[in-house]
Amino acid sequence: MDGPFGRHQKHQISKTSHGSRLVLRFRGRLVEARLILMGEEAPEHLLNSLDGHLPVACDSESKDYQTSTIVDDKTYVVEGSEDGGKLIPTVLGMKPVQLKGHSTLLLNNGRILIVKKDYPLDDCIWFLEVDTPFVKEQKKILGTEVVAWSKGVIGSAPKPIVISGPSGVGKGTLINKLMKEFPSKYGFSVSHTTRAPREKELDGVHYHFTERSLMEKDIRDGKFLEFASVHGNLYGTSIEAVEAVTDSGKRCILDIDVQGARSVRASSLDAIFIFICPPSFEELEERLRARGTETEEQVQKRLRNARAELDEGRSPGLFDHILVNDDLETCYENLKKLLASDENANTLYQPTTKNLKVHVSHMESRADQKILLHCGTSGTGVKVPSLFMLDISSLKGGAPGRTRGLNVYTVESLGDGVNRIKQL
Ligand SMILES: Nc1nc2c(ncn2[C@@H]2O[C@H](COP(=O)(O)OP(=O)(O)O)[C@@H](O)[C@H]2O)c(=O)[nH]1
Ligand SMILES: Nc1ncnc2c1ncn2[C@@H]1O[C@H](COP(=O)(O)OP(=O)(O)O)[C@@H](O)[C@H]1O
């Protein structure tokens, strides 16, 4: 039977003087873990749903601080060793630096929630994906068992913008105008490529220029959100390229080809997809030649590929918007208009948790996708809330990268079982 936090696991709880002892039974096997209930008690009404969805917690004081989470016939063991998690499958994504004293909770969508003890609120939430669509896809591609890390981020992020179109249509020109007019609003995802730099191109600014063997290794190591072979060279978007821009609070722009756009569509990245068309094929050819950055042979190759890209770009279901770049200023105004209406339709919840000097001591789960985080101060002497409620009902994105959309509330006891719950 599926519960809101995962497949129902038979368990029994017996109170001890040190807290609760949780015994999980699963297909005849016994798994034991200590549930730490220390520090301030949670308000009673929030505790009344400890009904089979208890977090498996571990004690940071103990030498053996690992957790086991069972999903179907597999047991996932996360260890608190200094060098991160010890996992036998292929591990994709960035791992948390320290796992000492973490707690785990199996969620119902193929993810394990991991909360690191004694870490600030904005750096304690992680997800280990074990059976999400992304992980299933990677298992097929790599032919091995796969798990993928993703960092939990409180609040929403602006949707990345994917811009595609044939070579010479004006993608770079439009993106440059946008970045120049709104430098604090938009950030460019710097791709990796094996092609040689053009005269005015800078490494790390226009592209990360790299060798094929290095890029292929990084692709195998799961560092790329997408990659494609375009006009005979390898191009790819690293997970960190997108996340670095989004983490800085900016809206990330990806200039990628149609194959890349298709891969991003299939990924967990929730983006808006825009295809730029030329007014005619002749005009495209003229612009490409006038740019003067390619040899005649390269121009011919780009023009051959452009026909297929134009067909693909117009195929239904891939792009949300098609813009014709005839007059540059008109096209730019249309681009700004559609981005503004998309921004208005997606109001963002972006709390500032950075100045909140609280350290999470442990978590508890409730039945309705709410998790209680008990916190202590980090010793500044300033009075801060000690109980937070995390709402994980609207998660966005995911591994490999960041899982966003976590909502957080402070829980303040007003006495007599009454609590004030306020969104941060
Ligand atoms: N899939 C994918 N395509 C990319 C990436 N970066 C650039 N491209 C595409 O690669 C193609 C060639 O780019 P480039 O060599 O800069 O030439 P240009 O498009 O003529 O300026 C363009 O269609 C880009 O959109 C990437 O990270 N992934
Ligand atoms: N609307 C337009 N009208 C005329 N020339 C344009 C227009 N948009 C872009 N260009 C020019 O066309 C060339 C190709 O544009 P670019 O932005 O490099 O294309 P892409 O990034 O799609 O390959 C550049 O020399 C640019 O100045």
Side-chain angles (χ1 to χ4, degrees):
M1 183 177 90
D2 274 8
F5 278 112
R7 293 194 180 87
H8 193 87
Q9 294 163 333
K10 249 185 158 181
H11 67 270
Q12 61 191 55
I13 307 162
S14 59
K15 288 263 181 195
T16 72
S17 55
H18 308 294
S20 296
R21 197 169 172 77
L22 170 70
V23 182
L24 293 174
R25 283 177 206 278
F26 192 83
R27 293 196 182 155
R29 266 189 291 169
L30 261 190
V31 180
E32 286 198 20
R34 267 192 54 172
L35 172 75
I36 313 162
L37 284 175
M38 57 187 186
E40 206 170 313
E41 287 286 314
E44 197 146 334
H45 84 276
L46 292 173
L47 279 178
N48 63 10
S49 53
L50 293 177
D51 61 348
H53 309 294
L54 285 166
V56 179
C58 61
D59 189 344
S60 62
E61 263 58 74
S62 141
K63 281 194 204 85
D64 177 19
Y65 40 80
Q66 58 173 221
T67 51
S68 305
T69 307
I70 300 167
V71 185
D72 293 336
D73 57 348
K74 297 189 187 83
T75 304
Y76 292 88
V77 180
V78 181
E79 243 182 66
S81 56
E82 294 298 320
D83 58 351
K86 180 187 147 204
L87 291 145
I88 295 130
T90 303
V91 184
L92 302 177
M94 191 172 74
K95 297 172 205 168
V97 188
Q98 252 279 17
L99 281 160
K100 196 170 173 176
H102 67 269
S103 302
T104 64
L105 181 66
L106 175 60
L107 307 181
N108 65 355
N109 47 13
R111 302 178 215 228
I112 299 170
L113 169 70
I114 295 173
V115 174
K116 297 196 295 176
K117 182 170 152 38
D118 289 335
Y119 269 75
L121 204 55
D122 60 2
D123 187 30
C124 71
I125 301 159
W126 287 77
F127 292 90
L128 184 67
E129 297 199 355
V130 297
D131 201 27
T132 54
F134 170 76
V135 165
K136 283 181 186 149
E137 185 66 25
Q138 292 300 312
K139 281 181 188 175
K140 265 194 254 158
I141 295 169
L142 299 171
T144 62
E145 276 300 314
V146 173
V147 295
W149 284 106
S150 142
K151 187 176 179 204
V153 181
I154 293 169
S156 322
K159 251 190 203 184
I161 305 155
V162 171
I163 298 187
S164 293
S167 181
V169 76
K171 302 178 297 294
T173 308
L174 288 163
I175 293 168
N176 284 343
K177 279 173 84 68
L178 211 51
M179 305 266 294
K180 214 167 170 181
E181 188 175 345
F182 306 100
S184 57
K185 189 168 180 181
Y186 298 106
F188 186 62
S189 155
V190 182
S191 293
H192 283 63
T193 183
T194 59
R195 90 150 156 73
R198 290 176 189 148
E199 206 174 73
K200 289 191 182 140
E201 285 180 333
L202 300 172
D203 189 26
V205 176
H206 298 94
Y207 280 105
H208 297 290
F209 295 100
T210 182
E211 279 173 30
R212 184 173 279 266
S213 59
L214 289 179
M215 192 164 161
E216 283 173 347
K217 182 182 179 308
D218 283 348
I219 290 170
R220 279 197 304 276
D221 289 347
K223 292 188 181 159
F224 281 82
L225 180 69
E226 63 77 33
F227 62 91
S229 176
V230 192
H231 316 314
N233 284 302
L234 205 52
Y235 293 80
T237 311
S238 72
I239 293 152
E240 276 315 297
V242 176
E243 298 300 352
V245 175
T246 314
D247 282 349
S248 72
K250 294 184 187 180
R251 201 165 178 194
C252 184
I253 304 179
L254 289 82
D255 172 348
I256 59 176
D257 87 316
V258 178
Q259 306 166 72
R262 212 173 271 287
S263 302
V264 175
R265 259 278 185 228
S267 81
S268 61
L269 196 77
D270 183 23
I272 169 172
F273 294 77
I274 301 169
F275 188 74
I276 314 286
C277 274
S280 67
F281 202 80
E282 292 67 35
E283 173 68 19
L284 181 72
E285 183 166 357
E286 207 164 291
R287 283 183 199 172
L288 200 49
R289 286 191 199 286
R291 189 171 70 183
T293 48
E294 269 73 34
T295 62
E296 179 55 28
E297 194 188 336
Q298 284 164 344
V299 168
Q300 289 300 334
K301 189 181 250 181
R302 279 160 193 262
L303 289 173
R304 272 197 306 277
N305 293 342
R307 292 198 187 274
E309 283 178 285
L310 286 169
D311 284 348
E312 274 233 50
R314 294 192 196 108
S315 67
L318 181 51
F319 289 94
D320 302 308
H321 305 276
I322 296 181
L323 288 179
V324 179
N325 182 17
D326 190 352
D327 173 63
L328 181 60
E329 288 312 316
T330 310
C331 184
Y332 180 55
E333 287 307 314
N334 288 336
L335 175 63
K336 282 199 290 185
K337 253 186 242 161
L338 80 83
L339 291 178
S341 74
D342 181 64
E343 277 153 25
N344 289 339
N346 293 288
T347 43
L348 293 180
Y349 164 55
Q350 287 178 304
T352 45
T353 49
K354 278 226 158 19
N355 300 328
L356 213 54
K357 299 278 182 257
V358 294
H359 282 192
V360 174
S361 56
H362 67 281
M363 69 166 163
E364 289 163 31
S365 71
R366 290 186 66 203
D368 51 355
Q369 309 222 35
K370 307 281 190 298
I371 287 153
L372 291 179
L373 298 176
H374 290 254
C375 299
T377 64
S378 60
T380 54
V382 183
K383 197 174 176 323
V384 288
S386 61
L387 189 60
F388 293 85
M389 190 170 75
L390 195 65
D391 180 355
I392 54 160
S393 59
S394 52
L395 300 185
K396 287 205 180 77
R402 312 284 191 275
T403 298
R404 300 178 195 271
L406 299 166
N407 296 330
V408 72
Y409 304 79
T410 53
V411 182
E412 187 192 349
S413 172
L414 301 176
D416 294 332
V418 180
N419 295 290
R420 183 190 290 148
I421 295 177
K422 216 168 99 191
Q423 191 162 26
L424 272 188

